[in-house]
Amino acid sequence: MRFTVFFHRTTTTSPPSHRQHLRTLFDGNFTLVRDRGLDHAVEREKNLKPLLNLRNLIKQEPSKSLPVSIIKESIQLPFRPMDFIRKYPSVFEEFYSNGRFEAHVRLTPEAVELDDEEGFMCKSELFKKQVADRLLKLLMISKIHKIPLRVLEGLRWDLGLPMDYVKTMIPEFPDYFRVVGMGDNAVLELVCWCKEQAVSVLEKKLGNKGKDLAFPLQFSTGFEMDNKYEKWLRDWNKLPYVSPYENAGHLNASSDESDRWVVGVLHEIMHLLVSKKTEKDNVLMLGEWLGLASRFKRAILQHPGIFYLSSKNRTYTVVLREGYKRGFLAEDNPAMEFRRKYIHLMNTVKEDSKKDKDKVVKDKTSTKESNVKGDEGKAGEEKRDENLVEEKEEGEETELSDAEDEDASESVVDDDNEESVRDTRRTSSNRRGRNFAERKLNTEKPSRNSRRERSSEKLPRKTWEKNPSQVSNSKNIQMRGEHNDVKSSPQRSRSSKNRERLFTTKTTVV
């Protein structure tokens, strides 16, 4: 996904003499491209924050469990509470207590053990000192050295603050800060300025305080910029460095020097975050309190080599490029170490769910195998039926040929007998006449043709196609049968001779 950003030079008419040396904002354009490594770093923590919020909600209950129905009213989850719980079976356990039909949720033993380790880490002096130093630096950056607790609550996750830091940690550092006010008006106020802590990360790394310090620039692969922007950026990075802990009220808000100081403030704030990234809304909220909201937004868009804006997880996240190397944090800290452990536990599949998945896969495989075997069995039965039909047809054809041979022999015997009784029939009386002959002719008897037709109907077309030799033999048999029917059939020969005799008798009488 590419974006083209245009910035135009802003000019003022008749600038004062003491501001003639100040540079104005650049005139150029560049094309933004996505950074896969940083996008993956943002997407890696998807659903981690709501998961830990639900964990904290469960921990607050005396029974260390709570009904699923009240989760939606207490915290915000990305989707339905029951689906969210079932999505991470290694962290949450669903159960029904005392025979009730209402589902409850509690932490799994693995999640409880990991939570105990994190609690032990939060109570260590080293962790508390690191958190206190981050809060102290943030207060010293602020102009009036105060920050409302509601603003800090939005940054609590990114600063790595404990859930109850106001009651447990702040009272342990009375020389650093204190809470003033009540309720929504409560603010965290700086007690004493610490000169040792008023040193920026860039100054610590390069060790040249008061001299020209260049911000490290890292661009995504495929980033394009024109010559104007490249020249402006090179000159901009050579300007004098103004510490974020110094008051820059003497700088013109539209100058490059002031822009460089704003970038330094945002750069230092991003370094104070444990994950070196935060949502854009948190940056703008803090910038609004500092009076730098619009300038923070311009710095993010104008310096893609220092800050990266990711659109993953359905929100915009500001990432400090310097804090990551190949998609992973360049410097580790205890808070992020436990977050990685939770991410690993979220992606861990329990043995029970594995067995269920394997069982489902096996059931599907067995069903497919049974279907295949059933199809093979049906195919085998069909083949056996075809063989039986073929054998039966062959037997019927054999019987049919034998029956035709017997009929042929019988017809020869009938012809001989007919010759012997012909003279007797000629001397028979005329009273048998035509009616007797017609009655004989109309007599219905089962003929060999009908029997042959029934046998041919039994034979399927597939058999005729498979056995051409049988087809030819059966055709020869049929032709022989038809010939016998025409010339050797005793009934037909008898009826024809009777017609001849009756015709002769009628002619003689006339």
Side-chain angles (χ1 to χ4, degrees):
M1 186 175 183
R2 293 174 176 264
F3 302 92
T4 302
V5 183
F6 298 92
F7 293 93
H8 299 281
R9 186 184 302 275
T10 59
T11 59
T12 58
T13 59
S14 302
S17 58
H18 66 279
R19 294 184 181 177
Q20 289 291 335
H21 69 283
L22 298 180
R23 293 168 40 93
T24 56
L25 297 179
F26 77 97
D27 180 15
N29 65 80
F30 52 83
T31 302
L32 298 176
V33 295
R34 292 191 180 277
D35 192 307
R36 293 184 178 181
L38 297 180
D39 281 340
H40 182 65
V42 174
E43 200 171 14
R44 194 185 300 124
E45 296 184 5
K46 182 179 180 180
N47 296 336
L48 176 61
K49 188 175 180 180
L51 182 137
L52 295 181
N53 290 337
L54 180 56
R55 177 208 64 178
N56 296 333
L57 184 63
I58 295 174
K59 286 169 54 179
Q60 293 176 359
E61 297 294 325
S63 61
K64 305 303 178 184
S65 65
L66 73 162
V68 178
S69 58
I70 68 173
I71 295 177
K72 188 175 182 180
E73 303 174 358
S74 304
I75 59 175
Q76 185 178 2
L77 297 177
F79 38 86
R80 288 194 330 115
M82 184 59 72
D83 296 338
F84 188 83
I85 291 169
R86 292 175 178 175
K87 183 177 178 63
Y88 304 107
S90 298
V91 182
F92 303 110
E93 182 180 354
E94 178 187 355
F95 70 99
Y96 296 86
S97 63
N98 300 328
R100 297 179 181 178
F101 295 99
E102 186 177 10
H104 287 64
V105 61
R106 61 191 173 195
L107 298 177
T108 60
E110 296 83 2
V112 172
E113 181 180 0
L114 186 58
D115 180 68
D116 293 339
E117 294 178 3
E118 185 181 9
F120 181 77
M121 181 267 298
C122 292
K123 294 178 181 179
S124 63
E125 296 298 330
L126 177 62
F127 176 79
K128 291 180 180 181
K129 182 66 168 59
Q130 292 176 351
V131 173
D133 291 341
R134 288 195 290 267
L135 284 177
L136 178 63
K137 284 176 170 291
L138 194 60
L139 288 173
M140 289 192 297
I141 291 176
S142 178
K143 290 183 179 180
I144 59 176
H145 310 306
K146 294 180 181 179
I147 298 178
L149 293 182
R150 55 179 175 82
V151 176
L152 290 177
E153 185 63 25
L155 293 170
R156 182 179 61 83
W157 167 264
D158 300 307
L159 288 171
L161 302 177
M163 186 176 178
D164 54 350
Y165 71 97
V166 177
K167 296 180 180 180
T168 60
M169 193 197 68
I170 291 179
E172 295 185 9
F173 297 90
D175 297 337
Y176 281 7
F177 34 65
R178 63 187 176 187
V179 177
V180 180
M182 299 290 292
D184 295 338
N185 297 325
V187 296
L188 185 65
E189 185 181 38
L190 180 68
V191 174
C192 182
W193 181 274
C194 184
K195 188 176 181 180
E196 295 178 356
Q197 297 292 338
V199 180
S200 66
V201 175
L202 194 60
E203 291 172 337
K204 286 182 179 179
K205 288 183 177 180
L206 302 180
N208 296 322
K209 187 176 180 179
K211 298 183 180 180
D212 296 342
L213 300 178
F215 288 96
L217 302 178
Q218 302 175 10
F219 296 98
S220 303
T221 303
F223 178 80
E224 299 176 0
M225 56 182 171
D226 61 0
N227 294 331
K228 290 183 179 180
Y229 177 74
E230 185 178 5
K231 181 178 182 302
W232 174 86
L233 185 62
R234 185 170 54 252
D235 295 340
W236 177 89
N237 217 4
K238 294 180 180 179
L239 292 175
Y241 176 80
V242 181
S243 174
Y245 299 98
E246 295 180 9
N247 188 3
H250 62 283
L251 299 176
N252 184 10
S254 61
S255 65
D256 289 343
E257 286 80 0
S258 177
D259 176 70
R260 186 172 169 80
W261 173 76
V262 172
V263 172
V265 171
L266 184 57
H267 181 271
E268 185 70 10
I269 292 174
M270 295 298 295
H271 262 289
L272 296 179
L273 307 180
V274 294
S275 59
K276 305 299 183 288
K277 59 182 175 58
T278 185
E279 295 182 6
K280 187 185 71 172
D281 294 340
N282 295 334
V283 174
L284 298 181
M285 179 179 60
L286 180 60
E288 185 177 359
W289 172 255
L290 299 177
L292 303 172
S294 60
R295 301 174 71 180
F296 276 176
K297 186 176 181 179
R298 186 175 62 185
I300 294 170
L301 297 176
Q302 187 173 321
H303 298 277
I306 302 175
F307 309 106
Y308 174 71
L309 189 63
S310 175
S311 60
K312 293 296 182 179
N313 298 340
R314 299 181 180 181
T315 186
Y316 287 102
T317 305
V318 182
V319 185
L320 181 65
R321 288 184 177 273
E322 185 183 350
Y324 283 84
K325 185 177 181 180
R326 296 181 179 178
F328 294 93
L329 281 173
E331 297 179 2
D332 201 1
N333 56 76
M336 291 304 299
E337 182 180 355
F338 277 94
R339 290 185 186 181
R340 283 196 300 271
K341 291 182 179 180
Y342 274 107
I343 293 174
H344 177 73
L345 185 61
M346 290 167 60
N347 298 327
T348 301
V349 180
K350 298 183 71 174
E351 294 296 331
D352 296 339
S353 58
K354 279 186 178 180
K355 291 179 181 178
D356 294 339
K357 289 182 180 180
D358 295 340
K359 185 177 180 181
V360 171
V361 173
K362 288 181 180 179
D363 292 341
K364 290 182 179 179
T365 306
S366 61
T367 303
K368 290 181 180 179
E369 291 178 354
S370 62
N371 293 334
V372 172
K373 290 181 179 179
D375 295 338
E376 292 178 353
K378 290 180 180 179
E381 290 178 359
E382 290 178 357
K383 289 183 179 180
R384 287 196 296 271
D385 293 340
E386 290 178 0
N387 295 332
L388 292 174
V389 170
E390 291 177 358
E391 293 177 358
K392 186 176 181 180
E393 290 171 355
E394 291 177 357
E396 288 180 354
E397 290 178 356
T398 304
E399 292 176 358
L400 182 60
S401 61
D402 295 339
E404 289 177 351
D405 293 339
E406 291 177 0
D407 292 341
S409 61
E410 288 178 359
S411 63
V412 174
V413 175
D414 291 341
D415 291 340
D416 295 338
N417 293 334
E418 185 179 358
E419 292 293 335
S420 62
V421 298
R422 185 176 300 173
D423 295 335
T424 306
R425 290 182 177 179
R426 285 179 179 177
T427 58
S428 60
S429 62
N430 291 334
R431 63 190 177 189
R432 304 178 70 176
R434 182 177 297 274
N435 294 333
F436 178 77
E438 289 178 357
R439 192 163 52 248
K440 284 285 185 179
L441 290 172
N442 293 332
T443 303
E444 294 182 358
K445 291 185 178 180
S447 64
R448 287 188 297 274
N449 290 333
S450 61
R451 185 170 53 193
R452 191 179 301 110
E453 291 175 357
R454 287 195 301 270
S455 63
S456 63
E457 289 177 357
K458 294 180 181 179
L459 297 176
R461 188 175 184 83
K462 189 183 295 184
T463 306
W464 295 88
E465 294 175 357
K466 287 186 176 181
N467 301 316
S469 61
Q470 294 180 4
V471 174
S472 60
N473 293 334
S474 61
K475 286 184 178 180
N476 294 332
I477 292 172
Q478 287 181 1
M479 292 181 67
R480 288 200 302 270
E482 290 176 358
H483 181 73
N484 291 336
D485 290 342
V486 175
K487 294 185 177 182
S488 301
S489 175
Q491 180 66 25
R492 291 187 178 181
S493 62
R494 189 179 298 116
S495 61
S496 61
K497 292 181 183 299
N498 288 335
R499 288 197 198 95
E500 183 181 359
R501 189 185 65 243
L502 291 174
F503 179 76
T504 306
T505 305
K506 186 174 181 181
T507 305
T508 304
V509 172
V510 175

